[in-house]
Amino acid sequence: MKPDHKRSACVLAVAGLMLSTGNVVRADVVLDLRPATSDDWPNIHVEDAYTRDAATRALEGASRWLARPKCQTLFLEFKDERNLPLRAKLRELDTDPEGYLRMVSFLDGAQSATCRRHGVLAFTTQGSRVVYLCGRDFGRAWRRDVAVVQATVIHELLHSLGLGENPPSPRAITYRIQQLCW
């Protein structure tokens, strides 16, 4: 059986099982059983396969979150260095949050001093389209708590668009991501 046929058969089997048990299937839930590949995210430039896999999966999840209207309110709430909502920067770039995620490059920053600080999974500088991932720490964090790593990706995406820090504090930024996107 071809891979697409296997995926279709599996989705149909799950749907049939849910219907036979009387459970309601939500129309906004999409089962994509394809493994995420770095081909889907050519902007990940990480040699280590473990970290690259975690990055690929984190970007897939973050992209799904960013597609939600409630999550997109982050781009109205947070402002750039010009005191404009981040949505204005997206408009200037003629893209949406998911599209912008695909414009950002993700590099391995494991050897940087910033990644040696406790608890740092990724970093960027305000307005840069490069996000550095902290190597195996990023990958291990993905295995421990998927949602935290996806929130980290969105957190760095906001800085990439021009959001500064202190204020708002890193904790406040992540808290809003958790409230609006999880």
Side-chain angles (χ1 to χ4, degrees), residues 58-155:
L59 292 177
E60 284 292 325
S63 181
R64 283 191 300 274
W65 282 3
L66 290 169
R68 299 176 185 163
K70 186 174 178 183
C71 188
Q72 290 183 14
T73 62
L74 288 168
F75 300 90
L76 295 170
E77 182 176 322
F78 288 118
K79 298 183 181 348
D80 66 10
E81 65 279 357
R82 303 168 298 175
N83 203 33
L84 293 174
L86 297 178
R87 170 79 65 207
K89 181 70 171 186
L90 290 171
R91 264 193 240 108
E92 289 171 14
L93 296 169
D94 194 29
T95 193
D96 58 15
E98 301 143 278
Y100 185 72
L101 184 62
R102 292 186 176 277
M103 297 168 101
V104 174
S105 292
F106 294 86
L107 306 179
D108 191 346
Q111 301 305 314
S112 72
T114 303
C115 283
R116 287 192 289 272
R117 293 192 339 234
H118 177 70
V120 176
L121 301 179
F123 68 94
T124 190
T125 56
Q126 185 178 8
S128 171
R129 283 201 203 164
V130 176
V131 171
Y132 294 93
L133 307 176
C134 294
R136 287 285 178 114
D137 289 343
F138 185 88
R140 281 189 288 274
W142 170 259
R143 304 279 189 269
R144 273 192 318 271
D145 194 336
V146 170
V148 166
V149 177
Q150 289 175 186
T152 297
V153 167
I154 294 173
H155 182 122

